[in-house]
Amino acid sequence: LTSAGAGAPPTFAAAAGGAWSKLTTTTVSSNVSEVVFNSTYLNSTYRDYRIIISDISHTTGAGAEVYVLIGNGSTYITNGDYRFAMRAFKSDASTNQEVSQATSQFKLSADTIAGNDSNKKSSFEITMFDPLSTSSFFTLQATGSFIATSGDLACGQYGGGFFNGQQGTAINLVKIFMNTGSINAGTFTLYGRKI
C-alpha cells in the first residue's frame, strides 16, 4: 500500500524493490542426482538470488557433502577457479572447515552430513550476488544446519566463495548435488531480489 495523500485512502502499488520474490520450488521425494536452476529463472529480471534448501537427505548412510556447480546457458564451468571457505561449529565444541583456492566446484557443507535417515535432515541457505554481472566475479555466501555423520553432532555453519575466472561471463545456471549418492528428499526454493 502507498499513500495517496492526506485524507485519501491508500492505494496498491508494485513494490519498489528490496524484497525477495519466490520464483520456483523443486520438491524431491525420490532419488535424483541433482537440482538445477537455469536461465528460465536466473535472468535480468532480478539482481540477487537466494536458494533455500529445506530438509534434505541423501542415499549414502556413510555421509556425503553438498556441492554447487555454476555455468552459463547449458554449459557448466568445471575448471579449477572455484575458491571457498566454509566453517562448521559442532555441538561438542569442535569445529571443521572446508577450504580451497582452486577446485572444480563449490563445496557447500563443511563436514559430511548424515543421510539415508528420514529423521536426519539438513538445511542450507545460499545467496548469490548479481550472478549475471559481466564486470565482477561470481560470489556466494552460505549458511547451514545439519547433523554430522561422525557422532551425530549438530552443526551450524557459515562461509562463502567466489569464482576466480571468466569475469565477463554471466552465470545463469546453478546445480546442487551430492558428491556421492543421490538426493532422496528435500525442498529447493529459489527467490529473486530487485534493487
Side-chain angles (χ1 to χ4, degrees), residues 87-99:
R87 188 168 185 88
F89 292 88
K90 303 183 184 183
S91 55
D92 67 351
S94 66
T95 62
N96 198 63
Q97 65 184 27
E98 289 290 344
V99 299

Side-chain angles (χ1 to χ4, degrees), residues 1-5 8-14:
L1 291 173
T2 60
S3 172
T11 58
F12 286 97

Side-chain angles (χ1 to χ4, degrees), residues 8 14 17 29 38 40 48 51 60 65 84 91 93 110 132 138 141 154 160 178-179 185:
S29 57
N38 60 25
T40 299
D48 302 320
I51 301 170
T60 307
E65 297 164 333
F84 61 84
S91 55
L132 276 76
F138 173 90
Q141 73 177 21
M178 313 300 290
N179 68 319

Side-chain angles (χ1 to χ4, degrees), residues 34-54:
E34 61 194 36
V35 174
V36 173
F37 298 106
N38 60 25
S39 60
T40 299
Y41 303 103
L42 301 176
N43 54 51
S44 60
T45 303
Y46 299 92
R47 176 187 164 110
D48 302 320
Y49 292 87
R50 181 169 288 164
I51 301 170
I52 306 293
I53 305 171
S54 301

Side-chain angles (χ1 to χ4, degrees), residues 14 22 24 29 33 54 59-60 75 109 134 148 160 166 168 173 194:
K22 179 182 172 183
T24 187
S29 57
S33 60
S54 301
T59 60
T60 307
T75 303
S109 53
T134 57
Q166 295 176 256
L173 182 63
K194 297 178 181 179

Side-chain angles (χ1 to χ4, degrees), residues 86-168:
M86 302 292 177
R87 188 168 185 88
F89 292 88
K90 303 183 184 183
S91 55
D92 67 351
S94 66
T95 62
N96 198 63
Q97 65 184 27
E98 289 290 344
V99 299
S100 179
Q101 277 286 82
T103 190
S104 57
Q105 64 268 315
F106 293 111
K107 184 182 288 190
L108 188 63
S109 53
D111 205 330
T112 56
I113 62 176
N116 202 21
D117 185 331
S118 61
N119 295 312
K120 295 179 179 177
K121 305 289 188 174
S122 302
S123 297
F124 296 90
E125 182 176 302
I126 306 166
T127 303
M128 301 177 292
F129 302 97
D130 199 9
L132 276 76
S133 172
T134 57
S135 61
S136 61
F137 294 126
F138 173 90
T139 58
L140 63 73
Q141 73 177 21
T143 58
S145 177
F146 57 93
I147 300 170
T149 304
S150 177
D152 280 347
L153 299 175
C155 296
Q157 81 154 47
Y158 69 93
F162 78 99
F163 180 66
N164 188 39
Q166 295 176 256
Q167 178 178 336

